[in-house]
Amino acid sequence: MIWNTDRMDYYAADCILGMTRVFPERWKCLRAGKNAGILMKAEPTPDRFAVIISGGGGNGPFCPGYVADGLADAAVLGAPFAAPNAYAIYEAGKYLGKGSGVLLLYNNFSGDYLNNDMARELLEEDNIQVEVVVANDDIATALNEPRENRSGRTGIALLIKLAGACAQRKMPLRQAADIVRRANERLGTLSMHMYFDRNLIEYGAGFSGEPGIRTENHMDMKRSAREVVELLTESLNPGKDEKLFLLVNRLRLTSYPDSFIMANAVYEALSRNYKVERVRVAAFSNIVDTYGYEFSILCMDDEISELMGNSTATDSFMI
Amino acid sequence: MIWNTDRMDYYAADCILGMTRVFPERWKCLRAGKNAGILMKAEPTPDRFAVIISGGGGNGPFCPGYVADGLADAAVLGAPFAAPNAYAIYEAGKYLGKGSGVLLLYNNFSGDYLNNDMARELLEEDNIQVEVVVANDDIATALNEPRENRSGRTGIALLIKLAGACAQRKMPLRQAADIVRRANERLGTLSMHMYFDRNLIEYGAGFSGEPGIRTENHMDMKRSAREVVELLTESLNPGKDEKLFLLVNRLRLTSYPDSFIMANAVYEALSRNYKVERVRVAAFSNIVDTYGYEFSILCMDDEISELMGNSTATDSFMI
């Protein structure tokens, strides 16, 4: 739920102003205007490529809270629930990408696609090296269609971390983009919404009311954990040599203890047949006013697993 | 909202099991049984006094998420919304307080009082040095009564940080307890619940449905920020030489951007007449399924301000 109704056009700007006021050592503002704003790290690192993420304002911590050492260099915010315009993304890329280029990373929604695509064109006209990676981890969308038609979801948190790790190692942009794309291919996310009053668990529902792909009439935590694992591993089919990173995102009404209890249940179901290397639990993308979770699994080869090895602490999660 | 209905007696135990599974580098379990559990730092620091916090399970991150370097050494959890029993607190104190003693810190509720008081007696019988500090920061309770009758609220987050800072400096227990008590005297918290459907802002409501001390019929963010500042400064009456630490706790339905926007509005109203040294924003105690905030102000003298100077990052907030 959001407030600030009297200045909705300046929602992103006001958010950025508050963030830089509270944490001046973490963040600064590159631009804050009508319907768009650009938040960046307080101390940019110009000797490596920049990771720029973008999306509609109105929720969090994705995407502004992902601006951090080891994660994104900047976040471009639009109005609540609306993609930021291409010029704001272009401006961020021009400022941060001059030296070693820029990686544009966003979730697969049409507005974000159109604006990032135009920003890429504008940046390339300025001879700034650009790579684009589009997260499409939501396994419950675009069923029986090519993977690239799927929506992106919370799994993007893991791609931001991976991109940030590549940047910290001063990897060439193209090599980093290839690694992040490879990870995106092995990433899946499934939502689970609970309706206690109707004794109903819904798997795969979207965050704008899109219906799920399966419902069950029970309230058994261990059984639901097995169902989550079944749906995710059917879709991802993890290989014997892959190591799994499990991300548990609690939705807004879910308590802190419940998120750790559920994460442990999913860990136990998953680790019966697979090597789970890492589990992280938090409100990574606190978008739905409901009780429930989103579960993301990233299947990692050795190179990606090594890159994902360090923890990054932000103002609202550890990943 | 909480789930885990099939094992409610083991809620604290299951929570601790999940937490230690996900973050074995941060946490370990000292005990996890029926209706109680003890979470402690993975690497205890026996050469200084230990900070032990306690409270009912069911919410978060307070109190288990406050077990961290620079914060609490251990958290003793009861069943959801019920104080942990005295023996669990005693056990934690016995284990961690042998060398330099133990500071028991909790919010002023009768169950917590009774159990911490009994734990103190048991520890003293074992010749373990104990000091007790009871947070009573909620300015909207026990009006016209002595301050010690007030409830504790989110402000305890700042006292935990202060106690942790004293412990890190290896201060003698009694000296640290005096400092934390002094801070508690200069700490106030006010809740603000919003009812958009009724155009109503309620100040001072409790988290179990207790009515507030003032309601207003408007939805103006800046005006409500001024009202928050007015109520808090009337109660605390900050001195000219005091520096203020403002803590903004967002309740469950409040979005991440809104919390920074609101924090900035309160900062601006407060800094007109007072020196605001620090602002922190997060879901510090995510206890109420409503839209709103809790605002805490700590009035700091130079010694306390210096102790509160470093940031600590946990799995869900930065303080």
mmCIF file of all heavy atoms in Angstrom, chain A residues 10 38 65 75 79 107 110-111 132 141-142 169 227-228 232 240 246 260-261 270 274 277 290 293 296 300 310 316:
data_model
loop_
_atom_site.group_PDB
_atom_site.id
_atom_site.type_symbol
_atom_site.label_atom_id
_atom_site.label_comp_id
_atom_site.label_asym_id
_atom_site.label_seq_id
_atom_site.Cartn_x
_atom_site.Cartn_y
_atom_site.Cartn_z
ATOM 1 N N TYR A 10 5.697 12.893 -8.219
ATOM 2 C CA TYR A 10 7.057 13.025 -7.709
ATOM 3 C C TYR A 10 7.403 11.899 -6.730
ATOM 4 O O TYR A 10 8.264 12.048 -5.883
ATOM 5 C CB TYR A 10 7.245 14.401 -7.051
ATOM 6 C CG TYR A 10 7.237 15.507 -8.064
ATOM 7 C CD1 TYR A 10 6.041 16.095 -8.458
ATOM 8 C CD2 TYR A 10 8.417 15.915 -8.683
ATOM 9 C CE1 TYR A 10 6.016 17.087 -9.430
ATOM 10 C CE2 TYR A 10 8.406 16.897 -9.650
ATOM 11 C CZ TYR A 10 7.204 17.480 -10.020
ATOM 12 O OH TYR A 10 7.191 18.447 -10.995
ATOM 13 N N ILE A 38 16.718 8.959 -10.497
ATOM 14 C CA ILE A 38 17.880 8.072 -10.606
ATOM 15 C C ILE A 38 18.644 8.102 -9.289
ATOM 16 O O ILE A 38 19.115 9.156 -8.861
ATOM 17 C CB ILE A 38 18.833 8.518 -11.736
ATOM 18 C CG1 ILE A 38 18.069 8.658 -13.063
ATOM 19 C CG2 ILE A 38 19.981 7.518 -11.878
ATOM 20 C CD1 ILE A 38 18.881 9.348 -14.155
ATOM 21 N N GLY A 65 16.446 -0.224 -3.369
ATOM 22 C CA GLY A 65 17.249 -0.769 -2.275
ATOM 23 C C GLY A 65 18.368 -1.682 -2.745
ATOM 24 O O GLY A 65 19.193 -2.129 -1.939
ATOM 25 N N ALA A 75 19.806 2.785 -9.804
ATOM 26 C CA ALA A 75 18.448 2.326 -10.082
ATOM 27 C C ALA A 75 17.680 3.492 -10.676
ATOM 28 O O ALA A 75 17.748 4.623 -10.173
ATOM 29 C CB ALA A 75 17.766 1.845 -8.804
ATOM 30 N N ALA A 79 7.254 6.234 -12.135
ATOM 31 C CA ALA A 79 6.127 6.495 -11.232
ATOM 32 C C ALA A 79 5.690 5.150 -10.642
ATOM 33 O O ALA A 79 6.088 4.091 -11.122
ATOM 34 C CB ALA A 79 5.000 7.150 -12.012
ATOM 35 N N ASN A 107 13.352 -6.480 -15.358
ATOM 36 C CA ASN A 107 12.389 -7.573 -15.446
ATOM 37 C C ASN A 107 11.572 -7.467 -16.724
ATOM 38 O O ASN A 107 11.293 -6.365 -17.209
ATOM 39 C CB ASN A 107 11.455 -7.555 -14.224
ATOM 40 C CG ASN A 107 11.941 -8.486 -13.129
ATOM 41 O OD1 ASN A 107 12.618 -9.479 -13.412
ATOM 42 N ND2 ASN A 107 11.602 -8.189 -11.890
ATOM 43 N N SER A 110 6.580 -5.173 -20.673
ATOM 44 C CA SER A 110 6.675 -4.476 -21.960
ATOM 45 C C SER A 110 7.190 -3.048 -21.814
ATOM 46 O O SER A 110 8.008 -2.601 -22.611
ATOM 47 C CB SER A 110 5.339 -4.522 -22.698
ATOM 48 O OG SER A 110 4.315 -4.052 -21.854
ATOM 49 N N GLY A 111 6.707 -2.316 -20.804
ATOM 50 C CA GLY A 111 7.156 -0.934 -20.632
ATOM 51 C C GLY A 111 8.648 -0.866 -20.377
ATOM 52 O O GLY A 111 9.363 -0.029 -20.952
ATOM 53 N N VAL A 132 22.474 -5.829 -22.527
ATOM 54 C CA VAL A 132 21.159 -5.858 -21.906
ATOM 55 C C VAL A 132 20.852 -7.281 -21.464
ATOM 56 O O VAL A 132 21.069 -8.226 -22.223
ATOM 57 C CB VAL A 132 20.079 -5.387 -22.904
ATOM 58 C CG1 VAL A 132 18.694 -5.449 -22.266
ATOM 59 C CG2 VAL A 132 20.376 -3.974 -23.387
ATOM 60 N N THR A 141 4.401 -18.190 -15.955
ATOM 61 C CA THR A 141 3.870 -17.361 -17.052
ATOM 62 C C THR A 141 4.326 -17.927 -18.384
ATOM 63 O O THR A 141 5.318 -18.650 -18.465
ATOM 64 C CB THR A 141 4.362 -15.904 -16.948
ATOM 65 O OG1 THR A 141 5.789 -15.889 -16.977
ATOM 66 C CG2 THR A 141 3.891 -15.267 -15.658
ATOM 67 N N ALA A 142 3.592 -17.576 -19.424
ATOM 68 C CA ALA A 142 3.930 -17.959 -20.797
ATOM 69 C C ALA A 142 4.198 -19.462 -20.908
ATOM 70 O O ALA A 142 5.172 -19.888 -21.537
ATOM 71 C CB ALA A 142 5.126 -17.142 -21.293
ATOM 72 N N ARG A 169 34.889 -7.572 -9.826
ATOM 73 C CA ARG A 169 36.135 -8.190 -10.318
ATOM 74 C C ARG A 169 36.654 -7.533 -11.584
ATOM 75 O O ARG A 169 37.560 -8.053 -12.234
ATOM 76 C CB ARG A 169 35.866 -9.675 -10.579
ATOM 77 C CG ARG A 169 35.823 -10.435 -9.263
ATOM 78 C CD ARG A 169 35.061 -11.729 -9.407
ATOM 79 N NE ARG A 169 34.481 -12.088 -8.122
ATOM 80 C CZ ARG A 169 34.718 -13.208 -7.484
ATOM 81 N NH1 ARG A 169 35.499 -14.110 -8.014
ATOM 82 N NH2 ARG A 169 34.158 -13.447 -6.332
ATOM 83 N N GLU A 227 5.452 -29.394 -2.711
ATOM 84 C CA GLU A 227 4.811 -28.974 -3.963
ATOM 85 C C GLU A 227 5.592 -27.859 -4.659
ATOM 86 O O GLU A 227 5.716 -27.840 -5.887
ATOM 87 C CB GLU A 227 3.358 -28.554 -3.675
ATOM 88 C CG GLU A 227 2.471 -29.785 -3.458
ATOM 89 C CD GLU A 227 1.150 -29.508 -2.734
ATOM 90 O OE1 GLU A 227 0.933 -28.368 -2.286
ATOM 91 O OE2 GLU A 227 0.346 -30.457 -2.611
ATOM 92 N N VAL A 228 6.106 -26.940 -3.865
ATOM 93 C CA VAL A 228 6.937 -25.868 -4.421
ATOM 94 C C VAL A 228 8.162 -26.473 -5.108
ATOM 95 O O VAL A 228 8.502 -26.114 -6.249
ATOM 96 C CB VAL A 228 7.383 -24.896 -3.299
ATOM 97 C CG1 VAL A 228 8.548 -24.029 -3.747
ATOM 98 C CG2 VAL A 228 6.218 -24.023 -2.852
ATOM 99 N N LEU A 232 9.068 -26.294 -9.138
ATOM 100 C CA LEU A 232 10.289 -25.600 -9.566
ATOM 101 C C LEU A 232 11.288 -26.543 -10.225
ATOM 102 O O LEU A 232 11.906 -26.203 -11.235
ATOM 103 C CB LEU A 232 10.941 -24.884 -8.371
ATOM 104 C CG LEU A 232 10.385 -23.491 -8.051
ATOM 105 C CD1 LEU A 232 10.848 -23.025 -6.680
ATOM 106 C CD2 LEU A 232 10.799 -22.460 -9.108
ATOM 107 N N LYS A 240 23.028 -32.825 -12.107
ATOM 108 C CA LYS A 240 23.741 -33.390 -10.955
ATOM 109 C C LYS A 240 24.927 -32.538 -10.527
ATOM 110 O O LYS A 240 25.329 -32.543 -9.365
ATOM 111 C CB LYS A 240 24.245 -34.802 -11.319
ATOM 112 C CG LYS A 240 23.104 -35.814 -11.390
ATOM 113 C CD LYS A 240 23.443 -37.106 -10.675
ATOM 114 C CE LYS A 240 22.151 -37.862 -10.317
ATOM 115 N NZ LYS A 240 22.154 -39.256 -10.704
ATOM 116 N N LEU A 246 18.851 -20.992 -3.143
ATOM 117 C CA LEU A 246 17.416 -20.848 -2.867
ATOM 118 C C LEU A 246 17.155 -19.488 -2.226
ATOM 119 O O LEU A 246 17.751 -19.152 -1.200
ATOM 120 C CB LEU A 246 16.963 -21.961 -1.915
ATOM 121 C CG LEU A 246 15.555 -21.854 -1.320
ATOM 122 C CD1 LEU A 246 14.478 -21.957 -2.397
ATOM 123 C CD2 LEU A 246 15.342 -22.933 -0.251
ATOM 124 N N PHE A 260 11.447 -17.939 7.881
ATOM 125 C CA PHE A 260 12.567 -18.854 8.140
ATOM 126 C C PHE A 260 12.078 -20.298 8.304
ATOM 127 O O PHE A 260 12.755 -21.245 7.887
ATOM 128 C CB PHE A 260 13.339 -18.406 9.387
ATOM 129 C CG PHE A 260 14.271 -17.252 9.115
ATOM 130 C CD1 PHE A 260 13.923 -15.957 9.455
ATOM 131 C CD2 PHE A 260 15.495 -17.462 8.493
ATOM 132 C CE1 PHE A 260 14.779 -14.895 9.194
ATOM 133 C CE2 PHE A 260 16.362 -16.401 8.234
ATOM 134 C CZ PHE A 260 15.997 -15.114 8.582
ATOM 135 N N ILE A 261 10.914 -20.455 8.912
ATOM 136 C CA ILE A 261 10.374 -21.811 9.086
ATOM 137 C C ILE A 261 10.062 -22.425 7.710
ATOM 138 O O ILE A 261 10.400 -23.572 7.422
ATOM 139 C CB ILE A 261 9.117 -21.771 9.981
ATOM 140 C CG1 ILE A 261 9.489 -21.285 11.397
ATOM 141 C CG2 ILE A 261 8.452 -23.146 10.039
ATOM 142 C CD1 ILE A 261 8.293 -20.966 12.290
ATOM 143 N N LEU A 270 14.119 -29.840 -0.853
ATOM 144 C CA LEU A 270 14.989 -29.656 -2.017
ATOM 145 C C LEU A 270 16.302 -30.421 -1.873
ATOM 146 O O LEU A 270 16.819 -30.998 -2.833
ATOM 147 C CB LEU A 270 15.259 -28.151 -2.197
ATOM 148 C CG LEU A 270 15.964 -27.670 -3.458
ATOM 149 C CD1 LEU A 270 15.183 -28.052 -4.712
ATOM 150 C CD2 LEU A 270 16.148 -26.142 -3.410
ATOM 151 N N TYR A 274 18.986 -32.697 -4.280
ATOM 152 C CA TYR A 274 19.877 -31.733 -4.919
ATOM 153 C C TYR A 274 20.828 -31.128 -3.910
ATOM 154 O O TYR A 274 20.556 -31.133 -2.713
ATOM 155 C CB TYR A 274 19.063 -30.620 -5.601
ATOM 156 C CG TYR A 274 18.076 -31.152 -6.602
ATOM 157 C CD1 TYR A 274 16.732 -31.321 -6.256
ATOM 158 C CD2 TYR A 274 18.485 -31.524 -7.882
ATOM 159 C CE1 TYR A 274 15.819 -31.830 -7.167
ATOM 160 C CE2 TYR A 274 17.581 -32.030 -8.806
ATOM 161 C CZ TYR A 274 16.251 -32.182 -8.442
ATOM 162 O OH TYR A 274 15.365 -32.695 -9.336
ATOM 163 N N GLU A 277 23.354 -25.076 -2.025
ATOM 164 C CA GLU A 277 24.568 -24.460 -1.506
ATOM 165 C C GLU A 277 24.278 -23.272 -0.602
ATOM 166 O O GLU A 277 25.029 -22.990 0.333
ATOM 167 C CB GLU A 277 25.455 -24.000 -2.666
ATOM 168 C CG GLU A 277 26.837 -23.617 -2.199
ATOM 169 C CD GLU A 277 27.795 -23.451 -3.358
ATOM 170 O OE1 GLU A 277 27.672 -22.473 -4.121
ATOM 171 O OE2 GLU A 277 28.659 -24.338 -3.516
ATOM 172 N N THR A 290 -0.381 -9.526 0.664
ATOM 173 C CA THR A 290 -1.035 -10.789 0.968
ATOM 174 C C THR A 290 -0.086 -11.626 1.825
ATOM 175 O O THR A 290 1.065 -11.272 2.019
ATOM 176 C CB THR A 290 -1.419 -11.529 -0.334
ATOM 177 O OG1 THR A 290 -2.222 -12.649 -0.010
ATOM 178 C CG2 THR A 290 -0.197 -12.000 -1.083
ATOM 179 N N TYR A 293 4.639 -16.214 -0.218
ATOM 180 C CA TYR A 293 6.074 -16.240 -0.508
ATOM 181 C C TYR A 293 6.305 -16.216 -2.010
ATOM 182 O O TYR A 293 5.413 -16.526 -2.803
ATOM 183 C CB TYR A 293 6.699 -17.551 0.006
ATOM 184 C CG TYR A 293 6.479 -17.829 1.463
ATOM 185 C CD1 TYR A 293 5.332 -18.482 1.906
ATOM 186 C CD2 TYR A 293 7.425 -17.436 2.400
ATOM 187 C CE1 TYR A 293 5.129 -18.740 3.254
ATOM 188 C CE2 TYR A 293 7.231 -17.689 3.744
ATOM 189 C CZ TYR A 293 6.086 -18.346 4.173
ATOM 190 O OH TYR A 293 5.892 -18.597 5.504
ATOM 191 N N SER A 296 12.675 -18.583 -5.316
ATOM 192 C CA SER A 296 13.510 -18.590 -6.511
ATOM 193 C C SER A 296 14.610 -19.615 -6.333
ATOM 194 O O SER A 296 15.184 -19.744 -5.243
ATOM 195 C CB SER A 296 14.155 -17.215 -6.736
ATOM 196 O OG SER A 296 13.177 -16.223 -6.869
ATOM 197 N N MET A 300 23.451 -23.298 -10.298
ATOM 198 C CA MET A 300 24.749 -22.664 -10.566
ATOM 199 C C MET A 300 25.799 -23.674 -11.016
ATOM 200 O O MET A 300 25.957 -24.737 -10.414
ATOM 201 C CB MET A 300 25.250 -21.979 -9.287
ATOM 202 C CG MET A 300 24.260 -20.989 -8.684
ATOM 203 S SD MET A 300 24.934 -20.110 -7.234
ATOM 204 C CE MET A 300 24.869 -21.421 -6.002
ATOM 205 N N ASN A 310 30.082 -14.439 -1.814
ATOM 206 C CA ASN A 310 30.137 -13.477 -0.707
ATOM 207 C C ASN A 310 28.760 -12.896 -0.402
ATOM 208 O O ASN A 310 27.945 -12.732 -1.292
ATOM 209 C CB ASN A 310 31.090 -12.330 -1.056
ATOM 210 C CG ASN A 310 32.513 -12.821 -1.192
ATOM 211 O OD1 ASN A 310 32.929 -13.729 -0.472
ATOM 212 N ND2 ASN A 310 33.239 -12.262 -2.138
ATOM 213 N N SER A 316 18.021 -3.521 3.990
ATOM 214 C CA SER A 316 16.848 -4.338 4.304
ATOM 215 C C SER A 316 16.983 -5.828 4.030
ATOM 216 O O SER A 316 16.026 -6.571 4.246
ATOM 217 C CB SER A 316 15.600 -3.807 3.582
ATOM 218 O OG SER A 316 15.872 -3.246 2.348
#
